[in-house]
Amino acid sequence: MLESKAIRFHEPIRLNGKEVYDLVKNSPPLDENSMYCNFLQCEHFSDTSVCAKQGDTLVGFISAYLLPNNNDTLFIWQVAISKEARGQGLALKMIEHLLERLHLKNVCHIETTITHENQSSWRLFEKVASALSCEIHSSEWLNKETHFQSQHSTEMLVKIGPFQTQH
């Protein structure tokens, strides 16, 4: 459980890459990216990603980006929450924080991928759809055998929307 210090959200900066790498590494079942990738996420996707810090400790991170040919869809790549911060609604608050950013005012859909066994992610995105008063749909996207040579679970493409944000 977290101590009572307030959690603050901010856009990541390159220097957060190492903290993100460590957070993801300690957040199974998330797939680890290279530390280099985490530095790139923090710098190149800072305007669509968010860090949650309590004091000097990174307790949450969401990596997201706008789909290249569809700037009304925010693709949430990864959600990482520290063990100490889980079960307190932090991930939902971080997504709501992202959707409140003025430069994301045209976003009316969210997409992500989730494996069948990642029940915490399914629950999170069901809560997101409920909070946004819209539907959630899923379909197979990357198949275990076809795409991953049976070395990774099938990824389901999850779509939420359309919705309206309050700007």
Side-chain angles (χ1 to χ4, degrees):
M1 189 62 106
L2 290 172
E3 20 179 296
S4 60
K5 285 184 189 174
I7 295 176
R8 67 187 193 293
F9 301 139
H10 69 84
E11 289 185 11
I13 59 173
R14 181 182 338 139
L15 293 175
N16 295 126
K18 170 70 167 92
E19 295 172 292
V20 168
Y21 177 81
D22 291 339
L23 178 65
V24 170
K25 187 176 182 175
N26 292 310
S27 300
L30 296 181
D31 290 330
E32 291 179 41
N33 299 303
S34 69
M35 194 179 306
Y36 175 76
C37 177
N38 294 132
F39 283 117
L40 290 176
Q41 287 173 310
C42 289
E43 184 160 325
H44 293 181
F45 301 114
S46 64
D47 62 340
T48 52
S49 298
V50 61
C51 285
K53 283 208 166 183
Q54 184 174 50
D56 293 332
T57 304
L58 183 71
V59 295
F61 177 72
I62 292 179
S63 176
Y65 57 89
L66 294 173
L67 290 183
N69 297 315
N70 193 353
N71 69 356
D72 74 350
T73 301
L74 184 68
F75 187 92
I76 298 179
W77 179 350
Q78 199 165 48
V79 177
I81 305 294
S82 71
K83 290 176 187 169
E84 298 79 18
R86 291 183 191 153
Q88 300 177 41
L90 180 58
L92 179 59
K93 290 175 189 169
M94 293 170 67
I95 292 171
E96 290 171 341
H97 171 82
L98 280 172
L99 294 175
E100 290 171 0
R101 292 182 180 171
L102 284 177
H103 64 277
L104 297 178
K105 67 182 178 193
N106 294 327
V107 169
C108 59
H109 294 90
I110 290 174
E111 290 186 4
T112 193
T113 61
I114 308 173
T115 60
H116 287 289
E117 52 275 347
N118 190 340
Q119 291 304 305
S120 60
S121 287
W122 284 107
R123 285 190 301 274
L124 167 62
F125 285 96
E126 288 164 356
K127 288 177 187 174
V128 170
S130 177
L132 294 170
S133 301
C134 59
E135 295 185 14
I136 183 171
H137 299 280
S138 65
S139 59
E140 186 174 290
W141 191 57
L142 297 173
N143 179 274
K144 178 179 182 173
E145 289 82 21
T146 306
H147 298 97
F148 296 117
Q149 299 174 336
S150 298
Q151 296 180 25
H152 186 286
S153 297
T154 295
E155 292 278 354
M156 302 298 292
L157 179 62
V158 177
K159 297 183 177 193
I160 297 172
F163 55 84
Q164 291 184 339
T165 55
Q166 305 295 328
H167 289 281

